[in-house]
Amino acid sequence: YHEKALVINEKVLGKEHPNTASSYNGIARVYDAKGEYDRALEYHKRALVINEKVLGNEHPHIATDYNNIALVYDAKGEYDRAIEYHKRALEIREKVLGKEHPDTAVSYNNLAGAYYAKGEYDHALEYFEKALTIREKVLGMEHPNTAISYNNIAGVYRAKGEYDNAIEYSKKAMAIWKNVFGNEHENIAKNYDNIALTYSAKGELDSALEYHEKALAIFEKALGKNHPDTAVCYNNLSKVYWVKGDHDHALELLKKALAIWEYVLGKEHHYIVQGYNNLSTVYYSKGEYDIALEYCEKALAIGEKVLGREHPDTALCCHNIGALFYNMGRLDDAAANFARALRTYVVHNMKKNAYDAIMLLATVYSAKGGDPSDGAAFFEWLDTLISSLD
């Protein structure tokens, strides 16, 4: 339908009309939802060219176009490019709409999300708090978007290990959503799930189970048992059982999640990559390395096809395969996979991930008889290893 609209708009209104640009954006959103990010970028950028020519460089629609492009780069894992476009959108919105406009808050929020994905939590917190300040002032303390800001800040605190702060902000979001939507809305379920993740990170596994099960009951009632978000809840619940050492129950829940994702989203969606990776982790914990490797390699094959070879989630597959090979005594294969993950982390300027990968490579180097404390020799070996990658 978007393509039919595009044909009509190009014929009737012309190839440089704002409605034609809207059709390009509509097509881009479909490609984005399908995970075809390069096609999505292509169409969003066509829309941007039209809008810049017709509306000028500082129109709110241009900021929206920059935001759309940034979100696709986020999905691709190209966080520095995403930040670049989020900042362009923010600059226009601050200048044209003002520093306290809800759309300016959206730009702060999205910019924070890119920093969060990079692991730069202090930057993420700074921008999430700016978005919250605007929303509290302009939209009010009881607005759903204010709740979104509380929830986002909770996520940063959880990532920073400040679990009590995370729970505090999650419960602020919960209070708003219950007031606005009632007790059985999907947002309530998502909030329960987030609180559960925090309790899990704190090591309070029984509380985590309680909140995951509350979330699951709402998801199943509000969205149905075969909804992707219900599957996400199964996936999260499985992690608690995995940590508790109940591997069989964890596998049962993961396989439920994977079956839903495959049925609803198809077998080549990025959620399938996550599902296979998680199955691999549980089999790894059980000491069943061959089965774990099989699932990791399935995840990698889909990740390369759907997300690309340089996506951070593809790098995670390499990371996990490297760990398996290390435990199987296949040190050269372990080193190659850790090095490939490292290369991706460096490309995306993901400093913490890169550091972790270097530490793992140092462990492999030591197991091969090298001395990681001899930095010159270690990094010469590492450079040679990375250069040998295909």
Side-chain angles (χ1 to χ4, degrees):
Y1 287 103
H2 284 301
E3 288 176 340
K4 287 180 178 179
L6 175 62
V7 170
I8 295 168
N9 283 333
E10 285 184 331
K11 185 174 182 179
V12 176
L13 301 174
K15 293 186 175 183
E16 294 183 348
H17 192 278
N19 286 6
T20 304
S22 294
S23 291
Y24 281 134
N25 277 324
I27 292 169
R29 283 190 290 272
V30 175
Y31 279 123
D32 186 29
K34 292 177 66 176
E36 297 183 31
Y37 301 124
D38 290 334
R39 296 301 303 276
L41 282 174
E42 174 190 345
Y43 279 90
H44 277 316
K45 288 181 177 180
R46 287 184 186 181
L48 175 62
V49 169
I50 295 170
N51 284 331
E52 284 182 329
K53 185 169 185 180
V54 175
L55 304 172
N57 292 327
E58 294 186 344
H59 191 278
H61 286 351
I62 304 302
T64 300
D65 286 338
Y66 284 143
N67 182 71
N68 291 339
I69 291 167
L71 292 174
V72 179
Y73 279 122
D74 278 325
K76 281 171 65 71
E78 296 184 22
Y79 302 122
D80 288 334
R81 295 300 303 277
I83 287 167
E84 173 192 343
Y85 278 92
H86 283 312
K87 285 183 173 179
R88 290 183 187 182
L90 176 61
E91 183 180 358
I92 293 171
R93 285 170 170 168
E94 285 186 329
K95 184 173 182 179
V96 177
L97 302 175
K99 292 188 175 182
E100 295 184 345
H101 192 278
D103 286 353
T104 304
V106 169
S107 282
Y108 280 132
N109 185 77
N110 292 345
L111 182 57
Y115 278 118
Y116 177 85
K118 279 190 71 177
E120 296 187 18
Y121 301 128
D122 290 335
H123 276 125
L125 188 58
E126 173 191 350
Y127 286 107
F128 277 139
E129 287 177 340
K130 286 184 176 182
L132 174 62
T133 298
I134 295 169
R135 286 169 170 171
E136 286 180 332
K137 183 173 182 180
V138 177
L139 302 176
M141 302 291 287
E142 297 292 324
H143 193 278
N145 286 358
T146 304
I148 288 171
S149 286
Y150 285 138
N151 191 61
N152 290 339
I153 290 170
V156 179
Y157 278 126
R158 181 170 62 247
K160 285 166 66 71
E162 298 182 27
Y163 303 125
D164 291 337
N165 283 335
I167 290 169
E168 176 190 347
Y169 276 88
S170 286
K171 289 184 175 179
K172 286 182 178 182
M174 176 76 76
I176 296 170
W177 279 326
K178 281 187 174 181
N179 188 45
V180 174
F181 298 120
N183 292 327
E184 295 186 345
H185 190 272
E186 64 185 90
N187 282 5
I188 305 300
K190 289 176 182 177
N191 199 270
Y192 280 141
D193 221 27
N194 288 335
I195 292 172
L197 291 173
T198 304
Y199 277 122
S200 184
K202 281 188 76 174
E204 297 183 19
L205 300 181
D206 290 336
S207 293
L209 283 176
E210 175 190 349
Y211 277 91
H212 277 315
E213 286 168 354
K214 285 181 179 181
L216 181 60
I218 297 172
F219 278 131
E220 288 183 334
K221 184 173 182 180
L223 302 177
K225 292 187 176 181
N226 287 325
H227 192 278
D229 287 349
T230 305
V232 169
C233 195
Y234 282 132
N235 179 76
N236 292 341
L237 187 57
S238 77
K239 292 178 183 178
V240 181
Y241 283 109
W242 169 64
V243 174
K244 286 170 72 75
D246 189 346
H247 297 140
D248 290 337
H249 200 167
L251 287 172
E252 177 189 346
L253 290 165
L254 279 172
K255 288 177 180 179
K256 280 186 178 181
L258 187 62
I260 294 168
W261 286 332
E262 287 182 335
Y263 178 74
V264 177
L265 304 173
K267 293 189 175 182
E268 293 186 342
H269 192 274
H270 65 88
Y271 275 10
I272 308 302
V273 177
Q274 179 184 340
Y276 282 143
N277 259 327
N278 291 341
L279 280 168
S280 172
T281 298
V282 179
Y283 280 114
Y284 174 89
S285 296
K286 285 167 66 74
E288 299 182 24
Y289 298 140
D290 289 336
I291 298 175
L293 182 60
E294 176 188 344
Y295 279 108
C296 256
E297 289 177 338
K298 285 182 177 180
L300 178 61
I302 298 169
E304 287 181 333
K305 184 172 183 180
V306 175
L307 303 172
R309 290 177 60 83
E310 297 297 329
H311 192 280
D313 287 352
T314 307
L316 176 62
C317 297
C318 294
H319 178 115
N320 291 345
I321 290 171
L324 280 164
F325 280 139
Y326 179 80
N327 281 280
M328 295 168 76
R330 295 170 58 177
L331 299 181
D332 289 337
D333 290 328
N337 279 278
F338 287 142
R340 185 174 159 195
L342 173 60
R343 183 174 64 182
T344 297
Y345 298 144
V346 170
V347 165
H348 295 298
N349 196 26
M350 300 172 71
K351 295 174 185 176
K352 182 182 182 302
N353 301 70
Y355 174 81
D356 291 343
I358 289 171
M359 291 300 100
L360 289 167
L361 283 158
T363 301
V364 176
Y365 185 65
S366 178
K368 286 171 63 68
D371 179 7
S373 66
D374 182 352
F378 169 64
F379 282 104
E380 181 180 354
W381 170 79
L382 184 54
D383 286 342
T384 300
L385 180 61
I386 291 174
S387 297
S388 70
L389 298 175
D390 55 8

